[in-house]
Amino acid sequence: MTTVRVLLADDEHLIRGALAALLALEDDLVVVAEAATGREALAMARAHRPDVAVLDLEMPGADGVNVATSLRTELPGCRTMIVTSHGRPGHLKRALAAGVRAFVPKTVSARQLAGIIRTVHAGNRYVDPELAADAISAGDSPLTTREAEVLELAADGAPVAEIAERASLSQGTVRNYLSAAASKLGAENRHAAVRLARERGWV
Amino acid sequence: MTTVRVLLADDEHLIRGALAALLALEDDLVVVAEAATGREALAMARAHRPDVAVLDLEMPGADGVNVATSLRTELPGCRTMIVTSHGRPGHLKRALAAGVRAFVPKTVSARQLAGIIRTVHAGNRYVDPELAADAISAGDSPLTTREAEVLELAADGAPVAEIAERASLSQGTVRNYLSAAASKLGAENRHAAVRLARERGWV
DNA sequence: TCGTGCCCATGACGTTTGTCATGAGCAGTG
DNA sequence: CACTGCTCATGACAAACGTCATGGGCACGA
């Protein structure tokens, strides 16, 4: 029997500890390192060279996908998987693009998670069916790169002038992009557009 | 030694299961019921009459504070506590007002949580110091009831006309409230105001 | 090479906002 | 009772925003 060396990264101590305890019950899995932040996860991975890195999506510092991206080049032998509470379609896409092998919501049981870790270690992929369906039904973003960029900058309610400055664009251009984005999304104004795009993971 | 009967409510199976496992290690704690939604938590509480209910803040259906409110009248003997990932000051205040005995971030360890459960069972309160500090520094909302209400309706980017209709107010009045709210919060416009108010738990 | 699509800009227009002054009705408090 | 603060309204003006037409530059595939 091969044993799988696992790295666990989650900023919530409660969950990380609990998870470690549960995975320890599976006798082919061994948690070799734990981390509470993105940076810590990277350091731990370098030090312990795990077979599989189980990364929380939302962590202080670098988020799970960023960590996965770094790991991909630094430790190509280490498979990465993402667990998350909030399954936005966009995150899934981002994760897959970063070479993540599994994307799992926290609604699965520990037993299932253990199974998925084995699946990933065996070189296969796993994507939660629910999340996959969402991602497919959400479809591809109709927004161009710049439209998405500008929309992103509009997210915190900043006035056009500020967006223009931060994007190094003229105010008129910003208004055009915002207008285009809103109409593509069928939104009444940019703020509603931001909400919609967020929901569908397009920003 | 008295044993404490605990109800666990969290929509994330992974966490709930893991938590149950960890709490089971403490031999004076016994998890008598688990729930994944607010409604389920209430039903379970009625059926099993736990000593302490550990409620996740964000759950589908009724959130943790709502459940606590219901429990307060239905099962006065049952102490309630909230655990959460995102510690917004407003939630803390709401929770305390609902008679919640403890408010804990998920960054604590399982051991600490067990200790807090005992503390609560003994009739004492516990509030995470960090969260308490935030709540205090955030202070009280400067917004009047109507201002907060209108701001809430503005949350999804609806135009003033729609807000006015939904609030049964004239458009001018809505603009006035929005303007007042934004200036009280030091925001550039209503959208930024919404964000600020949300951050501080004022909406 | 031509067309298409994205990028960026400008100018103009009407509409939506934010802001301010002003005032009426109605609690609650000193 | 006078005073204060919240609620709701109106009107008016300036600023911000959304929309449209138009045009140049650039990359890419047909």
Side-chain angles (χ1 to χ4, degrees):
Chain A
M1 185 184 71
T2 62
T3 77
V4 185
R5 296 156 46 79
V6 177
L7 162 71
L8 226 51
D10 194 316
D11 60 324
E12 296 169 345
H13 195 306
L14 193 52
I15 289 149
R16 198 175 67 245
L19 219 50
L22 277 201
L23 292 183
L25 297 181
E26 312 283 327
D27 46 2
D28 59 335
L29 303 182
V30 46
V31 177
V32 295
E34 296 184 23
T37 69
R39 261 176 303 280
E40 222 176 290
L42 275 175
M44 286 298 190
R46 275 190 282 263
H48 295 92
R49 313 197 146 257
D51 298 316
V52 177
V54 178
L55 308 169
D56 187 28
L57 185 53
E58 41 269 341
M59 280 186 295
D63 80 354
V65 179
N66 293 336
V67 174
T69 309
S70 302
L71 282 181
R72 188 174 173 65
T73 61
E74 283 196 51
L75 289 175
C78 173
R79 322 277 197 192
T80 55
M81 46 188 290
I82 299 277
V83 295
T84 179
S85 330
H86 329 288
R88 291 219 193 298
H91 288 151
L92 173 55
K93 235 169 260 184
R94 251 192 350 127
L96 257 22
V100 165
R101 315 289 298 191
F103 198 91
V104 189
K106 283 186 180 166
T107 47
V108 303
S109 70
R111 176 122 313 183
Q112 288 175 293
L113 184 69
I116 295 167
I117 292 178
R118 289 188 198 100
T119 304
V120 166
H121 182 242
N124 299 309
R125 289 164 182 261
Y126 176 88
V127 171
D128 180 72
E130 196 100 11
L131 258 31
D134 281 357
I136 290 164
S137 76
D140 267 351
S141 170
L143 304 176
T144 69
T145 316
R146 275 298 178 290
E147 283 164 359
E149 240 177 83
V150 172
L151 203 55
E152 180 95 54
L153 288 173
D156 53 356
V160 170
E162 193 182 318
I163 301 174
E165 202 194 346
R166 291 216 274 167
S168 300
L169 290 175
S170 87
Q171 299 195 13
T173 304
V174 169
R175 286 214 300 266
N176 288 339
Y177 283 158
L178 252 19
S179 176
S183 94
K184 279 180 183 176
L185 299 180
E188 294 227 339
N189 55 46
R190 63 214 175 96
H191 304 289
V194 168
R195 268 194 352 101
L196 280 174
R198 275 227 194 293
E199 273 174 22
R200 301 183 194 169
W202 291 340
V203 294
Chain B
M1 184 185 70
T2 62
T3 79
V4 185
R5 296 157 44 79
V6 177
L7 162 71
L8 226 50
D10 194 315
D11 59 322
E12 295 168 346
H13 195 305
L14 194 52
I15 289 149
R16 197 174 68 245
L19 218 50
L22 276 203
L23 291 183
L25 296 181
E26 311 283 327
D27 47 1
D28 58 336
L29 302 183
V30 47
V31 177
V32 295
E34 296 184 24
T37 69
R39 262 177 300 282
E40 221 176 289
L42 275 175
M44 286 298 190
R46 274 191 283 264
H48 295 91
R49 313 196 147 256
D51 298 317
V52 177
V54 178
L55 308 169
D56 186 28
L57 185 53
E58 40 269 340
M59 281 187 294
D63 81 353
V65 178
N66 292 336
V67 175
T69 309
S70 303
L71 282 182
R72 188 174 172 66
T73 61
E74 285 196 49
L75 289 175
C78 173
R79 320 279 197 190
T80 55
M81 46 187 291
I82 299 277
V83 296
T84 179
S85 329
H86 329 289
R88 291 218 194 298
H91 289 150
L92 173 54
K93 233 169 261 183
R94 251 190 351 125
L96 258 21
V100 165
R101 316 288 298 190
F103 198 92
V104 189
K106 283 187 181 166
T107 47
V108 302
S109 69
R111 176 123 311 184
Q112 287 175 292
L113 184 69
I116 295 166
I117 292 178
R118 290 188 197 99
T119 304
V120 166
H121 183 241
N124 299 310
R125 292 164 179 258
Y126 176 87
V127 171
D128 180 71
E130 196 99 11
L131 258 30
D134 281 356
I136 290 164
S137 75
D140 267 351
S141 172
L143 304 176
T144 68
T145 315
R146 276 296 178 292
E147 283 164 359
E149 241 177 82
V150 172
L151 202 55
E152 180 95 53
L153 288 173
D156 52 357
V160 169
E162 193 182 318
I163 301 173
E165 203 194 346
R166 290 217 274 167
S168 300
L169 289 176
S170 88
Q171 299 196 13
T173 304
V174 169
R175 286 213 302 268
N176 287 340
Y177 283 159
L178 251 19
S179 176
S183 94
K184 280 180 182 176
L185 299 181
E188 294 228 343
N189 55 46
R190 60 213 174 99
H191 305 288
V194 168
R195 269 194 350 100
L196 280 175
R198 276 226 193 294
E199 271 173 24
R200 302 184 193 168
W202 290 340
V203 292

